[in-house]
């Protein structure tokens, strides 16, 4: 019951998620140093020396510019590229983490005082998020690749037909382990998102109730959930940028990959684009994360209320 509303919400907000991925990949090198062309200066003497000329960095576009470019070049359908992978990921990831967090919450809440300490909330969030991310990683890789495909030249596009087609082809062409590429980043991000979302929501809700500022109702649930969404977006965006780039990285036999791992990706990104590059795509992230988190927790509270009545 709890998984359907998040799926529907994410499908409706999917264009924001796709634009976020495109923004996170802006400024990323498309070629390795070995493939950079060599040019000889027009007025140079015949010394045999060549000059390495790297392509100029692309201009960084904002939310509206990126969205307009996608609509102009790829059409409105492109805004929903990878929606099947998104729904599959949401089914696997959110259902697992939300269900596991509730189980741990029930087990770790003190029966006498009905108190669920912050330290246990954080631990429960870390465990639930990590396990949920590991389960949903294949769909996550498929989602990122399908969302990013439209920015590539026609000859380099993967053209996956669906989430299942993407997972099947990755398994055959790159090995089963490719389905868990970037899984360390996915798990870390999910642990941060789940902890910041669920622990923040419960903590803010308890604090407001303790002060008597709001009654336990829709107003309280919306306030606590939006706060949780904002905290989660701020905490997870840097890892999300690196995760997107590592998952989208094309690995070909005999060629060096752009990044040697997550740390290498962080260092190269910050060195070439600055520290704030880790917050690329933050506007579409918070624009999606805020309403999504509100719908998630408001729905969850209503489901809990219905279950209590039974």
């Amino acid at each position: 019951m709890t998984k359907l509303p998040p799926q529907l919400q994410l499908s409706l907000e999917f264009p924001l998620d796709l634009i976020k991925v495109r923004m996170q990949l802006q400024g990323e090198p498309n070629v390795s140093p070995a493939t950079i062309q060599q040019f000889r200066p027009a007025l140079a003497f015949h010394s045999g020396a060549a000059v390495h000329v790297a392509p100029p960095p692309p201009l960084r576009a904002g939310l509206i510019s990126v969205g307009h470019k996608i609509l102009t070049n790829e059409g409105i359908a492109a805004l929903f590229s990878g929606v099947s992978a998104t729904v599959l990921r949401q089914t696997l990831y959110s259902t697992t983490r939300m269900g596991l967090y509730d189980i741990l919450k029930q087990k770790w809440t003190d029966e006498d005082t009905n108190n669920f300490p912050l330290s246990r909330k954080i631990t429960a969030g870390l465990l639930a998020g990590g396990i949920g991310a590991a389960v949903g990683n294949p769909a996550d890789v498929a989602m990122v690749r399908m969302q990013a495909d439209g920015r590539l030249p026609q000859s380099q596009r993967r053209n996956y037909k669906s989430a299942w087609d993407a997972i099947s082809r990755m398994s055959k062409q790159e090995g089963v382990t490719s389905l868990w590429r970037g899984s360390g980043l996915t798990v870390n991000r999910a642990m941060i998102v789940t902890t910041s979302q669920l622990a923040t929501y419960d903590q803010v809700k308890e604090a407001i109730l303790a002060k008597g500022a709001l009654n336990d109702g829709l107003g309280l649930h919306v306030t606590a959930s939006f706060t949780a969404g904002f905290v989660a977006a701020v905490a997870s965006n840097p890892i999300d940028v690196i995760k997107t780039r590592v998952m989208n990285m094309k690995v070909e036999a005999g060629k060096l990959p752009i990044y040697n791992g997550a740390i290498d990706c962080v260092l190269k990104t910050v060195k070439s684009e600055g520290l704030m590059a880790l917050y690329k795509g933050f506007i579409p992230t918070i624009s999606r994360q805020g309403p999504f988190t509100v719908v998630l927790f408001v729905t969850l509270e209503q489901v809990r209320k219905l279950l209590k009545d039974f």
Side-chain angles (χ1 to χ4, degrees), residues 6-58:
Q7 287 175 329
L8 178 60
Q9 179 73 6
L10 195 56
S11 296
L12 294 174
E13 295 177 353
F14 186 81
L16 283 172
D17 198 47
L18 185 139
I19 292 171
K20 176 206 72 175
V21 167
R22 298 289 181 91
M23 290 176 71
Q24 289 176 340
L25 292 171
Q26 284 185 123
E28 184 184 37
N30 291 320
V31 292
S32 62
T35 61
I36 295 177
Q37 289 184 306
Q38 294 183 334
F39 297 94
R40 190 185 304 280
L43 300 178
F45 294 103
H46 296 283
S47 61
V51 178
H52 294 275
V53 180

Side-chain angles (χ1 to χ4, degrees), residues 4-285:
L4 293 178
Q7 287 175 329
L8 178 60
Q9 179 73 6
L10 195 56
S11 296
L12 294 174
E13 295 177 353
F14 186 81
L16 283 172
D17 198 47
L18 185 139
I19 292 171
K20 176 206 72 175
V21 167
R22 298 289 181 91
M23 290 176 71
Q24 289 176 340
L25 292 171
Q26 284 185 123
E28 184 184 37
N30 291 320
V31 292
S32 62
T35 61
I36 295 177
Q37 289 184 306
Q38 294 183 334
F39 297 94
R40 190 185 304 280
L43 300 178
F45 294 103
H46 296 283
S47 61
V51 178
H52 294 275
V53 180
L59 295 175
R60 297 176 185 175
L63 171 65
I64 296 175
S65 298
V66 172
H68 181 264
K69 184 178 179 181
I70 294 171
L71 284 172
T72 303
N73 298 339
E74 303 171 48
I76 192 169
L79 292 174
F80 292 89
S81 300
V83 70
S84 62
T86 304
V87 173
L88 177 61
R89 173 187 175 274
Q90 197 65 25
T91 302
L92 298 172
Y93 166 61
S94 282
T95 303
T96 302
R97 72 182 184 116
M98 296 299 292
L100 185 55
Y101 182 84
D102 262 1
I103 291 171
L104 294 173
K105 182 177 180 179
Q106 291 173 18
K107 286 185 175 295
W108 293 350
T109 298
D110 190 289
E111 293 181 2
D112 297 326
T113 61
N114 201 33
N115 181 37
F116 186 37
L118 179 59
S119 59
R120 292 185 181 180
K121 291 172 187 170
I122 292 173
T123 305
L126 292 173
L127 287 172
I131 294 171
V135 171
N137 201 84
D140 208 348
V141 177
M143 180 187 73
V144 168
R145 290 188 174 195
M146 292 174 77
Q147 288 176 335
D149 215 32
R151 65 188 285 271
L152 299 173
Q154 287 285 351
S155 60
Q156 296 179 22
R157 292 183 185 180
R158 299 177 174 104
N159 295 317
Y160 296 134
K161 297 176 183 178
S162 65
W164 293 115
D165 180 50
I167 291 171
S168 175
R169 283 171 55 186
M170 278 189 283
S171 300
K172 293 176 182 177
Q173 297 170 4
E174 304 172 49
V176 176
T177 55
S178 67
L179 298 178
W180 277 270
R181 181 171 295 147
S183 59
L185 290 165
T186 307
V187 168
N188 286 329
R189 177 189 176 275
M191 291 168 75
I192 290 173
V193 168
T194 304
T195 301
S196 53
Q197 269 187 345
L198 301 178
T200 300
Y201 177 78
D202 281 344
Q203 198 68 20
V204 170
K205 180 182 170 183
E206 288 171 10
I208 293 174
L209 285 172
K211 292 183 179 179
L214 290 171
N215 295 322
D216 191 359
L218 183 61
L220 172 63
H221 302 158
V222 170
T223 303
S225 57
F226 189 82
T227 304
F230 180 80
V231 172
V234 172
S236 67
N237 205 89
I239 295 180
D240 200 30
V241 171
I242 302 305
K243 175 184 76 74
T244 297
R245 293 187 171 200
V246 170
M247 284 183 169
N248 187 59
M249 176 175 64
K250 196 168 187 177
V251 179
E252 298 180 31
K255 294 184 180 180
L256 291 174
I258 298 174
Y259 309 116
N260 292 323
I263 301 300
D264 183 51
C265 183
V266 172
L267 294 175
K268 285 180 177 177
T269 299
V270 172
K271 183 178 180 180
S272 62
E273 303 168 55
L275 190 61
M276 289 309 295
L278 298 177
Y279 277 91
K280 282 184 176 182
F282 180 75
I283 298 301
T285 295

Side-chain angles (χ1 to χ4, degrees), residues 291-307:
F292 174 77
T293 307
V294 170
V295 170
L296 177 68
F297 283 111
V298 168
T299 303
L300 187 62
E301 291 286 359
Q302 295 305 310
V303 170
R304 283 174 177 168
K305 186 178 178 182
L306 286 172
L307 290 176

